[in-house]
Amino acid sequence: MSTFFPLHGTYVVAQIDVDATLTALRDPVANAEGGKLRTTKCILYLRSIRRLPLPDHITFKYMAYVVGPGLRPTIPEWCLTSDMCTPIYPNTSHPSGTRDAVRPEPSFPFANCYHWHGRDVQVEVRVLNDGQSYAKQDRTSLSAEEHYHMDDHRIEDMRRCVSGLKAKTSEASASFSPPAAAARGGTGGSQPAALPLVLSTTGTEADENVPSRTTSVEPLGGSTTHLSSGHVCEERHGDNDQDGQSSVSSGDQWSQSSAPYGEDNSGDAQSSSSEEDAAMSLDGLYATDVFGLDFDPHEALIPIVRVWPNLTAQLKEDEIPDPVEFLNQYDDITRIVQDALTRASMDRATSTTSTRDVAVETDQSSASESADRLVQPRGRRGKFSKILRFIFPCL
């Protein structure tokens, strides 16, 4: 069975399409800068569909994770370590020695690949609808059970990341003296200066401490709505036990919920009514905007990519590119688009100001002409009165 769009839960080879991303902007400066970019391919795992795909859509919107040949890079200032990844079978190696590999169907064609975990290595992409058909025999995908197996590892790693960032924040707060904080009008500094600015502005308080390349957030351990087998379903993760492992079997994860980042609210979860659960499900559905009816100001910032489902047709074992190159290109094209949008906004502001000035000058000119028209008749009437007095001196 073939589909006109790539299914979520599948692996694809992706490459940023610079021209398609920049065409709608109609900005010569952006086109010139984009022409200098040299894009490379990257293996992506399409985690979820972010908008209902229709045949006449120009692009299909996804949340995706990068897949790399080897462990993910360490970023100490973000508390991201190289072991925050999951091996993809036939690769079974992991620094912990205890993390099981996920097993795609059919078997993954490369032997040294990992799912990289971290908000910095998950991306939103718009897949170009280039008319290709996505055949079943070309797909390499994860079953629902394997997907949640991988996602449990991701959540565990991200909780470690957030805990590390919170610890850094506490240390930085403790290092400030109260007089210095009072002089600034602050409360002691809520975030150390060494931490990066957060790219995403949505999500929970803990979420906002984690750098991200996405414009929408899927909270850790929270519910996210996506499409599955032609229907909308709620995806949830179970409460964590003391060991940090999920206490809910993978078969129950479709219906169970938990507090984000391991916060203990099991009592609240048990006391929540079915009506509240239904409301949460609807809220998640509305927020996702699966029909694409809401205007999304961030849409233009999401790069357009071309994808190919047949991995071995695009890459060889020794030619798998480093995902960091793709992520750098992602950042470059996003910056170019942002700069173009800023220029367009400034041009609109300038145009509005010019139009307003022209309107004022036109109003002043019209007022002057009206005044002249009012004055001229009075002058003619004055001359006519003099003529009458000359003819009839008695007047």
Side-chain angles (χ1 to χ4, degrees):
M1 178 181 177
S2 298
T3 60
F4 63 87
F5 64 97
L7 297 179
H8 78 282
T10 61
Y11 297 90
V12 296
V13 176
Q15 186 171 19
I16 295 174
D17 190 321
V18 176
D19 291 339
T21 304
L22 300 179
T23 295
L25 299 176
R26 300 179 180 178
D27 187 308
V29 177
N31 292 336
E33 293 183 3
K36 300 176 184 177
L37 292 182
R38 295 295 177 264
T39 60
T40 57
K41 295 178 179 178
C42 177
I43 301 177
L44 295 181
Y45 174 73
L46 302 180
R47 187 218 190 270
S48 58
I49 298 174
R50 307 298 291 175
R51 183 173 57 219
L52 182 68
L54 295 175
D56 60 343
H57 283 178
I58 298 175
T59 61
F60 310 123
K61 190 175 178 182
Y62 294 84
M63 179 74 73
Y65 300 155
V66 302
V67 171
L71 304 177
R72 67 147 295 148
T74 297
I75 308 179
E77 61 269 27
W78 294 356
C79 299
L80 294 167
T81 56
S82 62
D83 62 341
M84 293 181 175
C85 57
T86 298
I88 305 173
Y89 190 84
N91 179 22
T92 59
S93 175
H94 189 268
S96 69
T98 59
R99 180 165 291 188
D100 295 333
V102 293
R103 295 174 177 264
E105 300 174 355
S107 181
F108 203 72
F110 307 122
N112 190 37
C113 286
Y114 294 80
H115 278 277
W116 289 6
H117 300 324
R119 289 271 305 285
D120 64 314
V121 291
Q122 73 180 42
V123 293
E124 278 183 298
V125 293
R126 291 181 289 162
V127 173
L128 184 67
N129 182 4
D130 55 6
Q132 72 170 301
S133 178
Y134 298 87
K136 182 178 181 180
Q137 61 267 24
D138 292 335
R139 298 176 196 148
T140 303
S141 60
L142 291 182
S143 65
E145 182 177 0
E146 291 295 324
H147 170 87
Y148 286 119
H149 178 60
M150 178 271 296
D151 230 19
D152 284 341
H153 292 160
R154 182 186 69 87
I155 293 168
E156 176 187 343
D157 291 341
M158 289 305 297
R159 284 180 174 143
R160 286 167 46 208
C161 172
V162 170
S163 297
L165 288 173
K166 285 183 176 180
K168 279 194 173 187
T169 300
S170 299
E171 293 174 2
S173 298
S175 67
F176 287 110
S177 61
R184 290 192 306 273
T187 57
S190 60
Q191 182 156 315
L195 293 180
L197 292 176
V198 180
L199 304 182
S200 177
T201 57
T202 58
T204 64
E205 180 180 355
D207 234 359
E208 292 176 355
N209 289 325
V210 186
S212 172
R213 284 183 171 83
T214 62
T215 58
S216 61
V217 172
E218 296 179 352
L220 302 181
S223 63
T224 57
T225 305
H226 69 96
L227 306 179
S228 176
S229 302
H231 64 277
V232 177
C233 56
E234 271 300 302
E235 176 181 77
R236 300 177 184 272
H237 297 283
D239 290 317
N240 276 14
D241 56 22
Q242 294 178 351
D243 295 330
Q245 301 295 327
S246 174
S247 60
V248 180
S249 65
S250 55
D252 294 330
Q253 285 176 321
W254 292 100
S255 59
Q256 299 296 324
S257 62
S258 71
Y261 304 100
E263 297 176 2
D264 185 8
N265 69 345
S266 56
D268 295 338
Q270 293 175 356
S271 63
S272 62
S273 65
S274 60
E275 289 82 1
E276 291 173 339
D277 290 340
M280 289 175 62
S281 299
L282 289 175
D283 288 344
L285 176 60
Y286 296 151
T288 304
D289 184 32
V290 294
F291 296 104
L293 300 178
D294 295 339
F295 171 73
D296 183 2
H298 300 292
E299 184 83 9
L301 293 173
I302 303 174
I304 295 176
V305 300
R306 290 183 179 271
V307 301
W308 300 269
N310 192 327
L311 305 183
T312 54
Q314 298 295 322
L315 298 173
K316 296 180 180 180
E317 179 78 44
D318 58 350
E319 295 177 353
I320 302 174
D322 185 349
V324 172
E325 297 178 12
F326 176 86
L327 295 172
N328 289 337
Q329 295 155 14
Y330 188 102
D331 293 341
D332 288 341
I333 193 68
T334 301
R335 175 189 54 78
I336 292 173
V337 172
Q338 182 64 74
D339 291 345
L341 294 176
T342 300
R343 284 192 295 272
S345 178
M346 294 176 63
D347 289 343
R348 285 194 299 270
T350 303
S351 176
T352 301
T353 302
S354 300
T355 302
R356 187 182 300 113
D357 292 342
V358 170
V360 170
E361 291 177 1
T362 302
D363 291 342
Q364 292 175 345
S365 176
S366 299
S368 177
E369 291 177 359
S370 299
D372 291 341
R373 286 194 297 270
L374 292 174
V375 169
Q376 287 176 358
R378 291 195 186 98
R380 288 195 294 269
R381 283 196 298 268
K383 293 180 180 179
F384 184 69
S385 299
K386 292 180 180 178
I387 293 173
L388 289 177
R389 291 194 189 96
F390 178 78
I391 299 173
F392 303 103
C394 61
L395 292 178

